Amino acid sequence: MRNLVVLNKGEIVVESRTYPELRVLDSVFDSISDTITVALGKNESGIIEVQQFMKDGQVLALASFSIDPNDKLLSFEHFGDSSQLVFVFELGDIVTATYDITRPDSDTTLVEIVGSIDCGIATSCWSPDQETLALLTKEQNLILLSRLFEPIAERFLDPNDVKQNTQVSVGWGKKETQFKGKGARALEREKESLKHAGLENTEELRDPTLGTYQSGGLSPFDSQSIKISWRGDCEYFSITSIVEVENNNRRVIRVYSRNGQLDSCSEPIDGLEGNLSWKPQGSLIASTQRRHDEDILETVLDLVFFERNGLRHGEFGSRLPPNSKIIDLAWSCNSEILAFQLENSIQLWTSKNYHWYLKQELFLSSSATIEVFQFHPEKPLRLMIASSHSLEIVDLAFNTKNGPNISGFDVGMSLVVDGTTCMITPLSIANVPPPVAFRDFDVLEPILDLAVSKSNTRFATLTANYTFIHEAADVRAAPKEMSLINKTTYCSFDEQARQIAVIGTDHVAILVDSLDGLSRIVIFSIGDISSPEIVGITETMNKVVLLKPRSDFSVLTYETIDGTVSEVEMSNLAETKPIVTFPQLCFDYEVSIRNPELWADEVSSVCFGISSNGKLYGNDVLISPAVTSIKITESLLVFTTAQHQLKFVHLMNKFETANDIEDDDERTRMIERGSLLVSVIPSRASVVLQAPRGNLETIYPRIMVLTGVRIDIKALRYKEAFSTCRTHRIDLDILHDYDPQLFFDNLELFVNELSSVEYLDLFLSCLHEEDVSETKYKETLDLTSKVENLTLEHSQPPVGSKVNRICEGILTVLLRPEYSKKYWQSILTAYACQNPPNLEDALRLIGSFTEESEIEKSVQHLCFLQDVNKIYNIALSLYDIPLTLMVAQQSQKDPKEYLPFLQNLHVQLQLRKEFLINDYLKNYEKALRSLSKISAEEQQDIEEEIIDYIVSKKLFQYALNLYHYDNEKSRKVLEKYADYLHGTQEFVDAAITYEMLGDKDSALEDYILAKRWQEALSIATTHVEAHSQLKDICERLIAGLNDMHNYSSSAEIELKYLNNVEESLRLFGKDYQFDRAILTCVDLKRPELIESIIDPSIREGFGIVAELLADCKGQVNSQLNRLRELRAKKQEDPYTFYGDTMEQDTPDNVSIAASETSTKESFFTRYTGKTAGTAKTGASRKTAKNRRREERKKARGKKGTIYEEEYLVKSVGRLIERLENTEAEAVRLIEALIRRNMREQAYQIQKQFVEVLNLLKANIQEIYDIKEKDRERVDDNGMVYYVPEIPVPTIRDFPEKLVLKF
């Protein structure tokens, strides 16, 4: 859908300096210095002169030397990196001219003959990388030379080469089984029938589906030339020449490799001519064929393609007159453009969808004969055309010709040039894939440029000699020619018209270039379309490269060679107004006008341009690099990037750059690789893209769709917004979330707008709690205070469920009498979609219906929305058996399951029915309440049933509340409750309950079991029966408390109740309660016990604590050293740390890579617990047993495993916790040692404790420094996750005694 437009033509007049009237023989681009080098000469002069044209206009004479007047220049090359010129002449000389790059001068240039071939040279060609020269001598010898002219290979072009079959035979199959064409069998049957009929000449019958045999006869227009063409990667080259085969001359294309090996010869083609050009980025070789077309009974000239193996691979017609000649062929460096060199013009062809389009025909400004032409080796859209005395450098650009994208006119009008045909497609009406078009019309000459009016019904077409104006009745009708303007009306003889544009509907602008390098714009009025007239001429002060209307088609704009974009007001055509100057020249641009209804500031135009290197500018601000195409609408800038993304920029006061556009919001979307913009249609919220192969794709970007939805919501067009969301699969929550207050203020309008039960059900059933306007559909338009009319003020989100608020709001409308009958189904949907579903009200509503069919439909609808089993339970809870039966019939339940149960319920009394239903539904509290209401008159054993039910369902607390005022029943419940607590080992609660009930024995037993010695002894000392067993009770309590290490409580019992002072003191010592032990000795006036019992306990405690501190210090030092060792190994060789050490002397021819079937652990396996195969597939081969084994390994932290480091860190953590728990005991021990005059021991304990804590403080950060990589794991699904980071503990200071700080 793209067209080629000429951006600029620059003419260089070549004047010889050494000999008058020298002609241009050849010219080349120098991509290193971006210059042009021209070789001049003349047959009778015998002089070769070389000039270099610099970018600044300077002309350098590089060389000048004499040659044989009868000699002819075959090829010319400029090696800019070595300052060398290379010439190959027909008589056999290869000449180099080396110049001084610092001071180029033809007098100082060294000219040498580096080689000579006596028999002469027929043709030559350098490879594109300038490393290999291919020569064909007149004796048919192929010679390959390096850049230093060293021979690489020499081959003779043997005529017998064409007889060799280069295709490969697979060596199987028979002739009878080979495919002969789909008409072969019918042909054989016809031959047999003719033979039996006695008819002759049956041999002339042939399969029409197969091509005719071709002998390779020469074309009468064959130039008898020999040409060489290289492939773009320089690995192969081809030669076309005439060979005598079986006494007949035939043109053959040979393919050779870079080292001179013959690869293939072309199949015989009748009428094959001498043109040859290998596609740089492909496998096709282009040539021309002249053949007789039996359909039109004329000779036609085709362009044909060959594969590297010599087989034919497609063709297309050149559309030239029968006697025309194609002098040469050439490809652009990116293989997109194929150029034909005709006698006085260059035709440029492109291909899409296997169709070849003639996009442009170029003529020399002087109308002279074209001598030389070639594409730039690195810039595919620049080419050079040379006549005998001048050069023209032509810059081209691809662009699409579209109609307006403004409201009311955006039909997606797209115009495509194909030779003399203008192809028209309104993409919003008919998305016709190319090369087909919705409508087309033909003109007399190949089209140079074309344009469409704002109304999409008028078309202006520019050719070399005419301008055609066509008009259609409407966008669907076929255009008709209304007027023809001759070139002489707006151009002089030496001027050329280059581009055309339509402004509004009544004006046509034509860009005209003059020989003085300036441009002017001629404006025609086509108000009377049958007789256009010139209404003005705009003179520009610089050369114009692009001409196009503004996006609203009301103003003409143009870009000059310096990157300045200007406007031409139609009211004053002589006055131009500059808009912006781009930082660099842009080959395509769009000019937009800010809408005064949206923007409060002064109305002004904004210009967006894309440069040749893909930079997108907004005025002079760089918006994004690597851009491939752009389009503009009234509110959006749309562009594609080289990263295969479609991006959108809001037209705001401040430009958004690529950094402002996030990849995960509505402004970015991925597209097919290499797709380009064709058209943007805002009214349909669509974008049309063309893939590289040529097919069209219409997409509906979220930003454009959501923009339309938001506009419809603000305008209260809920039905249109709903329809758009439904069509494009937009979450329907946006109808509420975009403006909740507006939604609730217009609930009744919303219901009436949708006016469909199905639509309302769909809306309600798709609701979510998520606010989509703030998440996936967040608006990216950053509105300023200047656009208050579009500012969307979101109030604070209300507390509670959004879904419930919407459903309740809808219900307030639908439950009205005028809506309830029509929308009963939507009412049920609103109940069912609440969170949680309000199925009770829904079923009550169904139960209020009187008609059986209506009830059945309602139940079916409700069962469709919610789980039928849940509805069944809710219906049961309403005690409506008929309704429950109807719900059960809609489920997958077996009637044998529910019919007996429902039949039993049907015959029960109401209270018993409620009990059975609630018990079935596991509503045990409700069941107990119903059961408690049954009187003894109705059932005699009801009391026992109630107690049994309370015990079986564990409803003790609810029963106590139920029988709060019934002491007798409450006591029975408490008795059962106490037994239950005793059975569940809740001894404290059981003892309290027994004591409340007066059961002292049971209470005492549970207090003993609960180790509650104070409560137990209080009962034992007051209860008469238990008093006699006091000693046994105390001994049981002491044993239990000692097991819990509660030595202080045991000491109290020994002292107070058993009067065992010595044992009491020992127990106080075990608990480091030395102060209480000493006080007890003093109170009992037995001071001798201090030395005999307490002092040994203190010494024993000193030994235990001192040993603990020594162990802790040693553990910290050893584990710290081990951690340092592990981390050093990991840093030096991670593979050895995580995996197995591999032998270093493994032979080179032995693979050491483990296969997926190997059970040997690898780096990946040991670190993640998964093999490469299971991680790829997400499969898990770990059983529960293996997982437990892995956890045990992790807990042990075995030395040498990957778990050792984590184990050591956690071990230090456990040591710190142990020290914190020991601190209080150590303080009490130190105080006791000081009091008993054991100062040295106290000093040692305090010193060791402080040393351990200081050691930990100094190294705690190093110990807990676990890298993120070490916390990385892979789960059973192959996903990487990180284990939680171990927090660094805080080390508290030890409370030192001042008396020991010395």
Side-chain angles (χ1 to χ4, degrees), residues 55 57 68 487 600 841 1058 1115 1141 1172 1255 1293:
K55 292 178 65 175
D68 191 322
K487 173 185 175 181
D841 288 345
L1058 298 181
Q1115 179 183 341
T1141 305
L1255 179 62
D1293 292 333

Side-chain angles (χ1 to χ4, degrees), residues 217 283 347 445 707 941 1054 1069 1136 1149:
S283 59
Q347 289 189 350
E445 298 176 333
T707 299
D941 59 346
E1054 290 280 2
T1136 303
N1149 60 347

Side-chain angles (χ1 to χ4, degrees), residues 761 765 825 829 832 857-868 871 890:
D761 285 353
S765 60
Q825 181 173 304
T829 304
K857 290 180 181 179
S858 302
V859 169
Q860 289 177 352
H861 180 68
L862 196 61
C863 292
F864 171 75
L865 295 174
Q866 292 291 337
D867 182 13
V868 67
I871 299 173
Q890 299 298 324

Side-chain angles (χ1 to χ4, degrees), residues 117 669 674 784 1034 1105 1174:
I117 298 175
R669 131 168 219 159
T784 63
C1034 290
V1105 174
T1174 57

Side-chain angles (χ1 to χ4, degrees), residues 81 123 160 414 974 1064 1223:
D81 54 347
T123 187
N160 294 323
S414 181
L974 280 173
S1064 173
E1223 181 182 295

Side-chain angles (χ1 to χ4, degrees), residues 709 713 718-719 721-723 725-726 730-740 742-744 746-770 772 777 802-811 813-814 823 825-834 861 864-865:
V709 170
I713 291 174
Y718 284 110
K719 186 170 184 178
F722 177 88
S723 178
C725 291
R726 187 174 176 224
I730 303 293
D731 201 328
L732 296 175
D733 287 61
I734 195 173
L735 300 177
H736 163 270
D737 295 346
Y738 182 66
D739 194 338
L742 182 69
F743 178 82
F744 283 111
N746 297 275
L747 271 175
E748 188 170 359
L749 174 64
F750 176 78
V751 173
N752 291 329
E753 277 278 311
L754 264 59
S755 67
S756 170
V757 174
E758 289 76 14
Y759 286 176
L760 199 55
D761 285 353
L762 179 62
F763 170 74
L764 292 169
S765 60
C766 292
L767 291 174
H768 304 90
E769 294 295 345
E770 176 189 6
V772 297
Y777 300 144
K802 178 191 83 174
V803 176
N804 288 354
R805 290 196 307 274
I806 296 174
C807 291
E808 290 167 3
I810 296 291
L811 285 171
V813 177
L814 299 185
Y823 292 101
Q825 181 173 304
S826 298
I827 295 172
L828 294 177
T829 304
Y831 281 131
C833 291
Q834 292 184 16
H861 180 68
F864 171 75
L865 295 174

Side-chain angles (χ1 to χ4, degrees), residues 856-1009:
E856 185 176 356
K857 290 180 181 179
S858 302
V859 169
Q860 289 177 352
H861 180 68
L862 196 61
C863 292
F864 171 75
L865 295 174
Q866 292 291 337
D867 182 13
V868 67
N869 296 316
K870 189 175 182 180
I871 299 173
Y872 175 80
N873 293 339
I874 298 295
L876 265 179
S877 68
L878 297 177
Y879 314 122
D880 190 339
I881 306 304
L883 183 59
T884 304
L885 177 60
M886 188 170 292
V887 173
Q889 290 172 347
Q890 299 298 324
S891 69
Q892 300 296 322
K893 292 178 179 291
D894 189 348
K896 294 179 181 178
E897 296 178 7
Y898 63 82
L899 278 180
F901 174 66
L902 295 180
Q903 288 172 351
N904 180 42
L905 292 177
H906 191 66
V907 299
Q908 297 292 337
L909 297 176
Q910 183 63 29
L911 290 175
R912 176 60 67 173
K913 181 193 302 182
E914 293 178 5
F915 165 73
L916 293 173
I917 289 174
N918 288 316
D919 182 64
Y920 172 80
L921 298 175
K922 298 182 180 180
N923 297 329
Y924 299 124
E925 293 181 356
K926 283 187 175 183
L928 178 60
R929 181 175 292 276
S930 299
L931 192 62
S932 66
K933 292 179 181 180
I934 299 176
S935 61
E937 290 79 7
E938 297 179 12
Q939 185 176 341
Q940 294 181 354
D941 59 346
I942 189 63
E943 297 296 335
E944 291 77 5
E945 184 181 353
I946 292 174
I947 295 299
D948 292 342
Y949 191 76
I950 292 172
V951 173
S952 64
K953 303 303 181 185
K954 303 177 182 62
L955 299 174
F956 303 105
Q957 295 174 351
Y958 182 75
L960 289 173
N961 182 57
L962 188 64
Y963 297 124
H964 183 68
Y965 300 105
D966 191 333
N967 294 332
E968 182 181 355
K969 292 182 178 178
S970 294
R971 184 174 182 81
K972 289 181 180 180
V973 174
L974 280 173
E975 291 173 354
K976 296 294 183 182
Y977 194 20
D979 294 340
Y980 170 76
L981 292 172
H982 177 79
T984 57
Q985 298 184 356
E986 299 287 341
F987 298 119
V988 174
D989 289 335
I992 294 172
T993 306
Y994 280 129
E995 190 173 6
M996 182 177 65
L997 292 172
D999 189 352
K1000 301 294 184 178
D1001 294 334
S1002 298
L1004 177 60
E1005 181 64 24
D1006 281 345
Y1007 277 134
I1008 294 172
L1009 293 173

Side-chain angles (χ1 to χ4, degrees), residues 207-257:
D207 182 1
T209 62
L210 295 177
T212 58
Y213 171 76
Q214 299 188 38
S215 62
L218 292 179
S219 166
F221 291 85
D222 197 302
S223 61
Q224 306 293 312
S225 62
I226 302 175
K227 292 185 179 180
I228 299 177
S229 179
W230 286 82
R231 199 169 75 175
D233 60 359
C234 306
E235 291 298 323
Y236 292 92
F237 64 93
S238 58
I239 303 175
T240 178
S241 62
I242 298 175
V243 178
E244 184 177 350
V245 180
E246 298 177 354
N247 300 322
N248 291 319
N249 287 335
R250 167 186 158 192
R251 181 167 286 279
V252 176
I253 299 175
R254 292 180 173 89
V255 175
Y256 288 88
S257 64

